[in-house]
Amino acid sequence: MADIDTISKYLIQHYPDHFAHFALARDDIEVIEVIDTEQLTVEARQADSFIRVRIGDEEALVHNEFQTTDSTNPPMPRRMAGYIGRAIEHHGLPIYSNVIYLRPNAGQRDPGFYEQAQLGYRVVIQYNVIRLIEIEGQRILNTGHSGLIPFTPLMKPPEGMAADAWLHQCIHTAQTSRIERTRKANYLACMATLSELVYETETISEIIIKEGLMDLIRESSLIQYFKREGREEGFEQGGRQRAIEDLLDVLEIRFDMPETHPLSTRIAAIDDLQRLKQLHRAAVQVPNLEAFQRMLDA
């Protein structure tokens, strides 16, 4: 997905040290530069990210390839062999390559190596397979590595925590990160888009609206992407639709109001999310349907 590639590259450009430390699981790494991957194209495929680093006295490349699903054409081992071979040819440096799988069911059959052993010619190219669902998300939140926090909704939540509660905690942590406002707008837009790989848009929008983040996300320089894909509207409409459904559920449960009742049509036409929330609270408290209708008419 091109949108996920764009977001991953954006985060690596701004937080390369966090991704290098994460991939190699060590802190003694100095980032030298993030390499322009336009020059590392293999059969019309552009690699996601190469970070030039220094580890002790040695320069090396940290290569991170982001995948939402399993690669079948060509298979991931063959793709990685191409990326790694071209990078070695071009830069002449040691390379530490990683495939980072974003969706929970992706990457389960990736062996982490390409191997050829025909006619006595043996070629083995190894890389690391990282499946985010196997990473303890709370540990990433606790480390404060800002570049990785937008990915935490895709990681393993704490034991016993519901998925929606985990998403809310991740968004809240991103919101309270010490990042200047302009960058935070992009940061939250990245998290919202990545979260859609696992969560319903309606669930994401409900949390974003509850946290009062919609206006901030609109300030993002990535907002043109949201508009192009219809996702900005999706966040708002998802929250509105959920509010309508919740309100109708209360009226059905408390007053046995059928779906065909004229009030259902009136409620479905309400655009104001705050108005819907007020009516929901009223529906919980009023003694009968007539009293609710009077409030609706007011």
Side-chain angles (χ1 to χ4, degrees):
M1 297 173 66
D3 50 338
I4 302 301
D5 289 343
T6 299
I7 286 169
S8 299
K9 290 173 184 177
Y10 169 86
L11 291 169
I12 284 180
Q13 284 284 344
H14 286 84
Y15 308 96
D17 51 332
H18 295 173
F19 285 91
H21 296 163
F22 172 69
L24 300 186
R26 54 191 296 169
D27 295 324
D28 58 334
I29 301 173
E30 176 191 351
V31 170
I32 300 172
E33 65 172 329
V34 178
I35 295 173
D36 179 8
T37 56
E38 293 285 349
Q39 59 187 299
L40 292 168
T41 301
V42 179
E43 294 182 354
R45 289 181 180 272
Q46 184 176 308
D48 283 345
S49 84
F50 285 88
I51 306 170
R52 192 182 187 107
V53 301
R54 182 176 289 107
I55 305 173
D57 296 328
E58 177 188 71
E59 285 193 15
L61 297 178
V62 177
H63 169 210
N64 292 322
E65 199 68 23
F66 294 89
Q67 281 290 117
T68 56
T69 59
D70 294 298
S71 176
T72 57
N73 187 27
M76 202 67 215
R78 205 169 96 204
R79 277 182 59 188
M80 291 299 286
Y83 292 141
I84 293 167
R86 181 63 61 87
I88 292 172
E89 175 190 13
H90 190 86
H91 293 282
L93 292 172
I95 182 169
Y96 304 99
S97 288
N98 311 276
V99 181
I100 301 175
Y101 286 97
L102 306 182
R103 281 199 169 108
N105 61 347
Q108 298 180 65
R109 296 188 299 275
D110 189 332
F113 63 88
Y114 171 86
E115 183 173 16
Q116 169 194 297
Q118 278 80 19
L119 301 176
Y121 289 83
R122 188 162 188 262
V123 178
V124 179
I125 299 176
Q126 290 186 298
Y127 55 91
N128 192 25
V129 174
I130 299 174
R131 301 181 63 242
L132 290 189
I133 192 60
E134 297 174 353
I135 303 295
E136 297 286 347
Q138 188 62 55
R139 178 174 61 84
I140 302 300
L141 292 184
N142 292 344
T143 61
H145 285 170
S146 300
L148 300 172
I149 288 176
F151 290 91
T152 53
L154 311 179
M155 297 180 184
K156 183 178 179 181
E159 188 72 29
M161 180 177 286
D164 290 4
W166 171 239
L167 175 61
H168 198 162
Q169 181 173 326
C170 294
I171 291 176
H172 179 75
T173 301
Q175 176 192 8
T176 55
S177 296
R178 294 182 178 179
I179 305 172
E180 56 92 13
R181 184 177 180 88
T182 300
R183 183 175 288 189
K184 183 175 287 189
N186 286 336
Y187 193 70
L188 289 164
C190 289
M191 174 175 271
T193 305
L194 289 168
S195 297
E196 286 195 337
L197 292 172
V198 174
Y199 298 89
E200 296 291 336
T201 301
E202 177 182 295
T203 302
I204 302 167
S205 65
E206 183 179 2
I207 296 172
I208 286 173
I209 292 168
K210 184 175 181 180
E211 290 286 322
L213 298 176
M214 186 57 70
D215 287 342
L216 180 58
I217 288 178
R218 283 200 189 98
E219 297 176 17
S220 166
S221 62
L222 299 173
I223 200 63
Q224 294 305 315
Y225 161 77
F226 286 102
K227 288 182 177 178
R228 184 168 63 251
E229 298 293 323
R231 296 192 184 205
E232 178 191 19
E233 293 82 357
F235 288 141
E236 293 180 329
Q237 289 301 320
R240 173 180 168 274
Q241 187 60 36
R242 177 64 177 271
I244 290 171
E245 292 174 0
D246 288 347
L247 174 53
L248 293 176
D249 283 346
V250 171
L251 295 175
E252 179 186 358
I253 293 169
R254 291 202 66 205
F255 308 122
D256 199 26
M257 190 184 86
E259 292 182 8
T260 55
H261 195 285
L263 285 180
S264 297
T265 303
R266 291 183 60 188
I267 291 169
I270 298 173
D271 291 326
D272 188 338
L273 182 60
Q274 292 305 315
R275 173 68 169 155
L276 288 167
K277 291 181 176 180
Q278 291 169 359
L279 290 171
H280 182 271
R281 287 192 291 270
V284 173
Q285 300 172 11
V286 294
N288 50 55
L289 193 58
E290 290 73 19
F292 175 80
Q293 183 166 348
R294 287 195 295 272
M295 294 195 67
L296 183 60
D297 293 337

